[in-house]
Amino acid sequence: MTRCVVLTGYMGAGKTTVGHALAAHLGWRFIDTDALVTEMSGRTPAELVGEGETHFRLWERQAIATLVGQEGLVVATGGGAVTDDEARAMLAAIGPVVLLDAPLEVLWERVRGDARRPLARDRELFAARHAVRRLLYDRFPLAYDTRSGEPAAIAAEIAEDLTKGGATVSVALGERSYDVVVAPGLLSELPRHVPGDPGPCLLVTDEGVPAWHVEVAVAALRLGGWHPWLERVPAGEASKSLSWAQRLYDACARAGLGRHSPVVALGGGVVGDLAGFVAATYMRGVPLVHVPTTLLAQVDAAVGGKAALNHPAAKNMVGAFHQPRAVVADPVTLLTLSEREYRSGLAEVVKYGVLGDPALFEALESGAEALEGRPLPFLSHLVARCCALKARIIAEDEREAPGGPRAWLNVGHTIGHALEAVAGFERLTHGEAVAVGMVLEAEVGARMSLTEATLPERLRVLLRRLGLPTAPPALDTESLFEAMRLDKKNRGAGLTAAIPTRLGEVAVWPMDDAVLRQVLRGAF
Amino acid sequence: MTRCVVLTGYMGAGKTTVGHALAAHLGWRFIDTDALVTEMSGRTPAELVGEGETHFRLWERQAIATLVGQEGLVVATGGGAVTDDEARAMLAAIGPVVLLDAPLEVLWERVRGDARRPLARDRELFAARHAVRRLLYDRFPLAYDTRSGEPAAIAAEIAEDLTKGGATVSVALGERSYDVVVAPGLLSELPRHVPGDPGPCLLVTDEGVPAWHVEVAVAALRLGGWHPWLERVPAGEASKSLSWAQRLYDACARAGLGRHSPVVALGGGVVGDLAGFVAATYMRGVPLVHVPTTLLAQVDAAVGGKAALNHPAAKNMVGAFHQPRAVVADPVTLLTLSEREYRSGLAEVVKYGVLGDPALFEALESGAEALEGRPLPFLSHLVARCCALKARIIAEDEREAPGGPRAWLNVGHTIGHALEAVAGFERLTHGEAVAVGMVLEAEVGARMSLTEATLPERLRVLLRRLGLPTAPPALDTESLFEAMRLDKKNRGAGLTAAIPTRLGEVAVWPMDDAVLRQVLRGAF
């Protein structure tokens, strides 16, 4: 649950008007940091800037510091507050930072000639300063255009985005139980979900995670009393290696992590797997907190306790079951995903609908086009729903016992993994491969009379509307068979798959070889 | 429980006479492989050898093959059976191989002029052949001198050694429960204790483990239907590394181990830790069987599920809790330990007496000198007793929770680890360091009035009788303090130790700094 909102933006963006409206909407208190500075120092910002900008920034930091840890505030910052590293860190820890924005021309029209704004006198200076500020503003994932909207309407939209659709899902595993918390803006509240007394912790992320999310996590942990040691590994599967694990152990030792010091994984599946493995094995296991920042990780990878490293011989060959102590899923991080990553994540959401949640599937059908705009309340709802289903499955079958329901989660994956392996990641992401895999497995099921005849087409239609592929790129059928055989080597005889039978149900069943061959051949 | 005994030895060593006596003693059936060959082939060994030795060996293999898997047999082999690799492997899997031995002169006197023994005609040839055979015989840890004894007395001794004192200890951990089986000759029965359907398995050992034990384990696994992939790592702590783990993962992949394929650790603490870590993490955990071959590993390291690797920053820094599915402790392996290794293991046995078993301590006091001869029934009893106590502690406190009884197992280790670290392994083995550590910690306890005044001296007397040191080599006190501080870094404030208070009881308590300093200074 968002406890404070921070509004920032250039002069004239509407921080004060929208801020008042938002505070009124939420029943919270409005704070203007410039006003707070005046109150504390007895001088106006203009007067303080006159004594040197550094002087003003020091007062501003002190003002902002008084707000850290409070609840129910809408904080409007001076336009330059976010340029100061220390002030920005505190703001990030107070609550989600929302950028109010409008085209330069609009901003200029709003402020020109305002006597209280010394910077609003010269059009050139105004524009130059804006261009510099832009570089910083572009980091903020939460941005609202105030050009046309009424302050009240914009405030309502922000309130809707930041306070609706969150949920807490419990994963019931006895003494290993934990919560999956889903809510926009949660990253600012990270320390609330990190177990134990503050001390050193390891924060693992990768170069694919936008700098702003890392900055928010670091700031929130620091202001929560933690000493995060940040390790940023290269993005991509190659980081899931024993040699990267070794570097992280080094970091743990150097940072002074003890048996109760947590490892925090901030990123997608790769970071979660690597950091999870290190947490499972450093000092025979230390607390782990997953902070998934991709849709795939939020709905799937971060929940369930699987951690793994790759090995030249096979993906995920080395690993552990190590349940996290908390999963902190902030849908705001989904706003920075590339289009392809985002859509790939949606394929896994569809998977949950297929394997156990018809209502979720129908919600996707109703809202497929709306999802293009990444509406936060809808995303929060989807993530929470997927996690709830996965939590039920994990609670019943923590370690993927033979015949257990955890195998249901492999819908689309038997064929999907083979497609991924043969096509290569560049041509097919994991989510895309799963999308195609689900369609083909449903098709195989239909031809084996296991699956309702209409399901494959219904699935195809939805996936297409979500911008996902439903047929594989041209690949050699025999290579696919070979890849599936390798993959299933350890699961007993027959190419078994979790085959969708009807919406919300799967059967773990061997695929008829001839039918599978027919479907694969027909697919290209 | 030994199910068969195999007697081997040179011509005239008494295999037939002692074999009959042993069979009578145990109520088992006596089998002479030469007689069996005659029965099966219709010809005497001499006749078959006349057709070429290879010819005879083929018949001999066939005869021995009929005995594999039977129970209640005393098998006397032809003197040369053990020179044939395949026959020897089968014999090793039938039961413990016992060498009957006597000086060459005695053997010659017994057989010279025996018309049925073509090889007993020429003294030179007899001696030359014996010299060659000796190289092989020296591998067998179980050897009995038949020079002076009556066959019945020797048989009684063998029976006593191989059938007494064994025990099965259950470690009660819910679904992770397992048995610790202690009995001489158990190595031949290894497959009975390896879980699952036979298939590929990884057998990890080190270069310090005598070849014969490895041969027995491999043969037993093979004849039990397993395909053991043998990996022999260098002896010593340096093998507990991520890079060795990586090589073992490679081996697992090459051997085709799946999620249910076991890893078998045959060796001391290093092998157990390394193989345990690999078993904990290959495919997120596969079954593990510990076959400890040192006294230290049998009484301590193999039970409890701790696995760890070293890291440049600290010993055992990377690890996992991964309970084995069985612990198979064969005291016969203790017969091949070096004197120093053996005595170091006894220090850990003393530790169990100190921390929770006064009767065990008293048994050591009564039998200290007898232990020099490594009597199997006594050793079996000691190992079983220590495992029983450790099992109770583990059942109560699997993961060393703060305040839990698992900390009791650290008696002697707070000071001991520091001594080890500062003195180096060459000067002080782990067991020796623990011996000295126990004395010094008891001394600290006595001066803090926590410990019965007579305990330190009683401990010293016993350790000395067991050939263990009771005072440290000359070391710098400040370095010891530094090492203790580093070691306890993660256990909260104060130099806490499990201090012996009176026989069978310890208190986990901070050591008074001044007293500790006094004791350490006085110790050199």
Side-chain angles (χ1 to χ4, degrees):
Chain A
M1 251 297 289
T2 301
R3 287 177 168 81
C4 290
V5 175
V6 176
L7 300 178
T8 192
Y10 204 56
M11 243 174 287
K15 297 186 291 293
T16 309
T17 47
V18 173
H20 275 294
L22 182 58
H25 188 105
L26 293 169
W28 291 359
R29 198 149 59 91
F30 176 76
I31 303 273
D32 179 297
T33 62
D34 280 353
L36 196 58
V37 165
T38 305
E39 191 186 305
M40 288 172 70
S41 69
R43 276 167 292 175
T44 65
E47 283 165 6
L48 290 166
V49 169
E51 295 168 29
E53 180 155 348
T54 317
H55 193 64
F56 168 67
R57 292 287 167 227
L58 283 174
W59 273 109
E60 190 176 52
R61 283 186 198 172
Q62 289 190 60
I64 292 171
T66 65
L67 307 176
V68 173
Q70 293 202 44
E71 299 195 7
L73 300 183
V74 174
V75 179
T77 72
V82 290
T83 62
D84 180 74
D85 287 351
E86 205 175 306
R88 193 174 62 248
M90 289 189 283
L91 291 168
I94 288 170
V97 175
V98 171
L99 176 72
L100 299 182
D101 209 1
L104 181 66
E105 213 39 56
V106 174
L107 299 174
W108 175 250
E109 284 307 318
R110 284 186 186 155
V111 302
R112 61 187 298 187
D114 184 335
R116 292 159 310 163
R117 303 191 193 248
L119 297 170
R121 283 168 207 148
D122 179 336
R123 174 74 170 76
E124 290 298 305
L125 190 63
F126 186 82
R129 209 170 173 103
H130 181 266
V132 172
R133 208 54 78 66
R134 185 82 255 155
L135 299 173
L136 188 64
Y137 291 162
D138 281 344
R139 294 205 215 163
F140 301 125
L142 280 167
Y144 295 83
D145 192 330
T146 64
R147 186 175 2 176
S148 51
E150 278 299 293
I154 296 166
E157 196 187 340
I158 296 173
E160 169 87 3
D161 280 356
L162 293 182
T163 61
K164 292 283 159 60
T168 296
V169 172
S170 293
V171 185
L173 287 168
E175 59 184 11
R176 290 184 302 286
S177 296
Y178 56 95
D179 283 345
V180 180
V181 193
V182 184
L186 214 49
L187 212 46
S188 304
E189 300 178 17
L190 181 51
R192 288 177 190 264
H193 305 283
V194 178
D197 297 327
C201 67
L202 181 74
L203 177 64
V204 184
T205 187
D206 76 30
E207 288 164 0
V209 176
W212 175 246
H213 304 318
V214 181
E215 195 173 334
V216 176
V218 169
L221 287 169
R222 283 228 178 94
L223 286 158
W226 294 92
H227 308 296
W229 179 291
L230 178 66
E231 285 287 331
R232 205 160 198 188
V233 306
E237 284 284 324
S239 295
K240 281 173 56 179
S241 68
L242 274 179
S243 60
W244 274 105
Q246 172 95 49
R247 293 213 213 175
L248 296 190
Y249 295 135
D250 289 341
C252 289
R254 252 182 263 129
L257 267 72
R259 281 179 60 191
H260 305 291
S261 308
V263 170
V264 179
L266 175 74
V270 167
V271 166
D273 263 338
L274 172 64
F277 184 80
V278 168
T281 51
Y282 180 69
M283 292 196 169
R284 299 198 183 89
V286 295
L288 169 68
V289 175
H290 276 304
V291 188
T293 61
T294 66
L295 186 50
L296 182 62
Q298 290 190 356
V299 302
D300 202 48
V303 180
K306 281 191 180 181
L309 301 180
N310 297 326
H311 185 273
K315 229 181 121 173
N316 293 335
M317 205 184 78
V318 174
F321 283 95
H322 186 62
Q323 298 294 346
R325 300 283 285 273
V327 178
V328 179
D330 182 347
V332 169
T333 60
L334 306 181
L335 302 178
T336 54
L337 295 176
S338 75
E339 212 35 46
R340 199 171 177 198
E341 270 182 302
Y342 173 64
R343 291 182 188 285
S344 295
L346 288 175
E348 292 279 342
V349 179
V350 173
K351 183 190 84 171
Y352 282 96
V354 167
L355 75 93
D357 191 342
L360 172 65
F361 194 92
E362 283 154 13
L364 291 168
E365 288 182 319
S366 314
E369 282 69 29
L371 277 170
E372 274 175 38
R374 307 193 193 183
L376 285 175
F378 196 7
L379 288 178
S380 300
H381 171 74
L382 294 180
V383 171
R385 194 93 188 194
C386 293
C387 289
L389 179 49
K390 183 154 187 185
R392 285 203 303 278
I393 290 173
I394 299 301
E396 212 177 301
D397 180 19
E398 186 179 4
R399 288 187 161 234
E400 204 166 349
R406 200 156 178 166
W408 302 348
L409 296 168
N410 293 330
V411 174
H413 283 65
T414 302
I415 295 181
H417 274 157
L419 290 169
E420 242 182 315
V422 176
F425 180 78
E426 287 305 312
R427 286 168 75 192
L428 220 50
T429 65
H430 178 70
E432 289 164 356
V434 168
V436 177
M438 282 191 289
V439 169
L440 298 184
E441 288 172 13
E443 193 63 52
V444 168
R447 295 197 197 187
M448 287 171 69
S449 305
L450 281 169
T451 303
E452 272 188 4
T454 54
L455 187 61
E457 185 56 18
R458 189 169 174 191
L459 196 47
R460 261 188 219 103
V461 169
L462 174 59
L463 292 169
R464 259 187 229 120
R465 288 174 60 206
L466 295 170
L468 284 159
T470 58
L475 296 170
D476 174 48
T477 313
E478 285 316 306
S479 307
L480 288 176
F481 262 87
E482 189 48 35
M484 276 185 272
R485 264 184 230 112
L486 271 177
D487 197 37
K488 66 97 208 174
K489 191 170 58 183
N490 305 305
R491 293 189 226 151
L495 286 171
T496 296
I499 299 177
T501 50
R502 54 184 194 148
L503 198 55
E505 277 184 25
V506 289
V508 178
W509 203 262
M511 293 186 287
D512 184 288
D513 237 47
V515 170
L516 175 57
R517 208 169 284 272
Q518 212 177 28
V519 167
L520 288 178
R521 287 227 185 84
F524 304 123
Chain B
M1 252 297 289
T2 301
R3 287 178 167 81
C4 289
V5 174
V6 176
L7 300 179
T8 192
Y10 205 53
M11 242 175 286
K15 298 188 291 289
T16 308
T17 48
V18 173
H20 275 294
L22 181 59
H25 187 106
L26 293 168
W28 290 1
R29 197 148 61 89
F30 175 76
I31 302 273
D32 179 297
T33 61
D34 281 352
L36 195 57
V37 165
T38 305
E39 193 185 303
M40 288 172 71
S41 69
R43 275 168 292 175
T44 64
E47 285 164 4
L48 290 166
V49 170
E51 294 167 30
E53 180 157 347
T54 316
H55 192 63
F56 168 68
R57 293 287 167 226
L58 283 173
W59 274 108
E60 191 177 51
R61 281 186 199 172
Q62 289 190 60
I64 293 171
T66 65
L67 307 176
V68 173
Q70 293 201 45
E71 299 195 6
L73 299 184
V74 174
V75 179
T77 72
V82 291
T83 62
D84 180 74
D85 286 352
E86 205 176 306
R88 193 174 64 246
M90 289 190 284
L91 292 169
I94 287 171
V97 175
V98 171
L99 176 72
L100 300 182
D101 209 0
L104 181 66
E105 212 39 58
V106 174
L107 298 174
W108 175 249
E109 284 307 318
R110 284 184 189 158
V111 301
R112 62 186 295 187
D114 183 333
R116 291 159 310 164
R117 305 192 192 248
L119 297 171
R121 282 169 210 150
D122 179 333
R123 174 78 170 76
E124 292 296 307
L125 190 63
F126 187 82
R129 212 172 171 102
H130 181 267
V132 173
R133 208 55 78 65
R134 185 82 256 157
L135 299 174
L136 189 63
Y137 289 162
D138 281 344
R139 293 204 217 164
F140 301 125
L142 280 167
Y144 295 83
D145 192 330
T146 63
R147 186 171 4 173
S148 50
E150 277 300 295
I154 296 165
E157 197 188 340
I158 296 173
E160 169 86 4
D161 280 356
L162 293 181
T163 61
K164 292 283 159 61
T168 297
V169 171
S170 293
V171 185
L173 287 168
E175 59 184 12
R176 289 185 303 287
S177 296
Y178 56 95
D179 283 345
V180 180
V181 193
V182 185
L186 214 49
L187 211 47
S188 304
E189 299 177 18
L190 180 52
R192 287 177 192 265
H193 305 283
V194 178
D197 297 326
C201 67
L202 182 74
L203 178 63
V204 184
T205 187
D206 76 30
E207 288 163 2
V209 176
W212 176 246
H213 304 318
V214 181
E215 195 174 334
V216 175
V218 169
L221 287 169
R222 283 229 178 94
L223 286 157
W226 294 92
H227 308 296
W229 178 292
L230 179 67
E231 286 287 332
R232 206 161 197 188
V233 305
E237 285 284 324
S239 294
K240 282 173 55 178
S241 68
L242 274 180
S243 60
W244 274 105
Q246 172 95 49
R247 292 213 214 175
L248 296 190
Y249 295 136
D250 289 340
C252 290
R254 252 183 262 128
L257 266 73
R259 281 179 60 192
H260 305 291
S261 308
V263 170
V264 179
L266 176 73
V270 166
V271 166
D273 264 338
L274 172 64
F277 184 80
V278 168
T281 51
Y282 180 70
M283 291 195 170
R284 299 198 183 90
V286 295
L288 169 67
V289 175
H290 276 304
V291 188
T293 61
T294 66
L295 186 51
L296 181 63
Q298 289 190 356
V299 302
D300 202 47
V303 180
K306 280 191 180 180
L309 302 179
N310 297 326
H311 184 275
K315 231 180 119 173
N316 293 335
M317 205 183 79
V318 175
F321 283 94
H322 186 62
Q323 297 295 346
R325 300 284 284 274
V327 178
V328 179
D330 183 347
V332 170
T333 60
L334 307 181
L335 302 178
T336 54
L337 296 177
S338 75
E339 211 34 47
R340 198 172 178 197
E341 271 182 302
Y342 174 63
R343 290 180 188 287
S344 295
L346 288 175
E348 291 279 343
V349 179
V350 173
K351 183 189 85 172
Y352 282 97
V354 166
L355 75 92
D357 191 341
L360 173 65
F361 193 92
E362 282 154 13
L364 291 168
E365 289 182 318
S366 314
E369 282 71 27
L371 276 170
E372 273 176 39
R374 307 193 194 182
L376 285 175
F378 196 7
L379 288 178
S380 300
H381 172 73
L382 294 179
V383 171
R385 194 93 189 197
C386 293
C387 289
L389 179 48
K390 183 153 187 186
R392 285 203 302 278
I393 291 173
I394 300 300
E396 212 177 300
D397 180 18
E398 185 179 3
R399 289 187 161 234
E400 202 165 353
R406 199 157 179 164
W408 302 348
L409 297 167
N410 293 330
V411 174
H413 282 65
T414 301
I415 296 181
H417 274 158
L419 290 169
E420 240 183 315
V422 176
F425 180 77
E426 287 305 312
R427 285 168 76 191
L428 220 50
T429 65
H430 177 71
E432 289 163 357
V434 168
V436 177
M438 282 191 288
V439 170
L440 299 184
E441 288 172 14
E443 193 61 54
V444 169
R447 297 197 195 187
M448 288 171 68
S449 305
L450 281 169
T451 302
E452 271 188 3
T454 55
L455 187 62
E457 185 56 18
R458 188 170 173 189
L459 196 47
R460 261 190 219 102
V461 170
L462 174 61
L463 292 169
R464 262 190 227 118
R465 287 174 60 205
L466 294 171
L468 285 158
T470 58
L475 296 170
D476 174 50
T477 313
E478 285 316 307
S479 306
L480 288 176
F481 262 88
E482 190 48 36
M484 277 185 273
R485 263 184 230 111
L486 272 177
D487 196 39
K488 66 99 211 176
K489 191 169 59 182
N490 305 306
R491 295 189 225 150
L495 285 172
T496 295
I499 299 177
T501 49
R502 54 183 193 148
L503 198 55
E505 278 185 24
V506 289
V508 178
W509 204 262
M511 293 185 285
D512 184 288
D513 238 47
V515 170
L516 175 58
R517 209 170 281 273
Q518 211 177 27
V519 166
L520 287 177
R521 288 228 184 83
F524 304 121

